[in-house]
Amino acid sequence: MGQGYPYRGSRLSRRRLVAAARAGVMSGGLLLSLGTAAVAAAGAVVVGPTGKVAGEGYVYYEQRSTQKLLDSSQGQRPCQTLAVNGQRVAYLTLSTIAPTTNHYTCTEPAGRPMYAVGIGYECSTFKGDHDKFGTTDAQLRKCARALFKGFKQSFTVDGQSVNVSKLVTLTDAFPVDIPKNPLFPLPPGKGRSASYGPGLLLTGLSKGTHSINGMTSLGTSKWNITWTVHVR
């Protein structure tokens, strides 16, 4: 999943943080432990680490989200839809990549699965976006995994804490095409990227209103994102 967050004058200035439905272990509260099977959470089912939605698993959605965000311009919509193997999957993302508190409202039809983005890391072949690592596919993957360290993240679904530490995934390197006025401060053009982070796939949301919250901190930078989803 992901979006980038450069910080001038800090050790993050050469890095890009990625949003792509990601989260770490919750501190305190009820934890829904994710094994190999899906887990029910307040009228929804959190898909387990080996599970699939529309025929694809977490690695696919991590890559698809990161690729989509890198290819996006500023001001993207937070409530979108992905076409996956002929099926439609709700895609909950961010409208800005800056550390912030945001509340988004989305409306989805009953029965539609969902993917909500969180925060992770991506490394690409663009100058300044791979730290001290190289630009081969293997080095980009190593870079993304290494720079993810230090995150403190949590997710809740309808007030219940979800332990998504087992949902962290590492993608292969994939092509990206940075547009003009990009969401990421990268030069327009084609390159390659790899990303590392958790994601949150949901199925079986009952009709009604649901709340998905993701909180992330890295040093003094903090994100607090809530999606209110009306399922009709």
Side-chain angles (χ1 to χ4, degrees):
M1 116 159 117
Q3 294 180 326
Y5 304 84
Y7 292 89
R8 304 298 177 189
S10 74
R11 67 190 292 262
L12 296 179
S13 63
R14 301 181 304 277
R15 304 177 182 180
R16 303 285 185 254
L17 301 174
V18 184
R22 309 163 186 186
V25 180
M26 297 290 295
S27 57
L30 172 66
L31 287 178
L32 296 178
S33 178
L34 290 172
T36 58
V39 176
V45 174
V46 180
V47 177
T50 61
K52 294 184 178 182
V53 165
E56 302 291 348
Y58 276 96
V59 173
Y60 170 88
Y61 288 97
E62 169 74 16
Q63 174 179 324
R64 182 77 180 271
S65 177
T66 305
Q67 192 171 34
K68 186 174 180 64
L69 289 165
L70 283 169
D71 292 352
S72 295
S73 298
Q74 294 282 349
Q76 68 165 354
R77 294 178 294 108
C79 308
Q80 301 184 35
T81 304
L82 299 176
V84 183
N85 296 326
Q87 300 183 47
R88 298 178 72 81
V89 177
Y91 174 54
L92 309 184
T93 184
L94 311 179
S95 62
T96 177
I97 62 176
T100 187
T101 296
N102 263 334
H103 188 173
Y104 305 117
T105 300
C106 307
T107 301
E108 300 293 340
R112 177 171 291 174
M114 191 171 299
Y115 183 74
V117 306
I119 307 295
Y121 249 114
E122 69 85 30
C123 292
S124 75
T125 52
F126 293 97
K127 184 178 179 180
D129 195 32
H130 44 264
D131 202 60
K132 298 179 181 179
F133 295 85
T135 56
T136 65
D137 287 2
Q139 283 288 297
L140 293 177
R141 297 178 81 241
K142 186 175 181 179
C143 172
R145 180 190 289 272
L147 301 188
F148 183 75
K149 295 179 180 179
F151 281 91
K152 295 180 181 179
Q153 304 192 49
S154 65
F155 254 91
T156 63
V157 178
D158 291 339
Q160 294 193 44
S161 301
V162 180
N163 181 354
V164 292
S165 59
K166 293 183 179 180
L167 302 182
V168 177
T169 56
L170 176 65
T171 72
D172 290 329
F174 50 87
V176 295
D177 189 359
I178 309 299
K180 295 180 179 179
N181 190 32
L183 192 64
F184 284 72
L186 293 173
K190 298 181 184 297
R192 292 181 67 76
S193 175
S195 63
Y196 183 76
L200 189 63
L201 283 167
L202 297 169
T203 62
L205 273 76
S206 59
K207 289 186 178 180
T209 300
H210 298 270
S211 178
I212 302 169
N213 175 259
M215 298 183 69
T216 303
S217 64
L218 182 63
T220 60
S221 300
K222 299 181 186 297
W223 295 259
N224 184 350
I225 309 301
T226 300
W227 295 271
T228 296
V229 183
H230 300 295
V231 178
R232 298 174 178 173

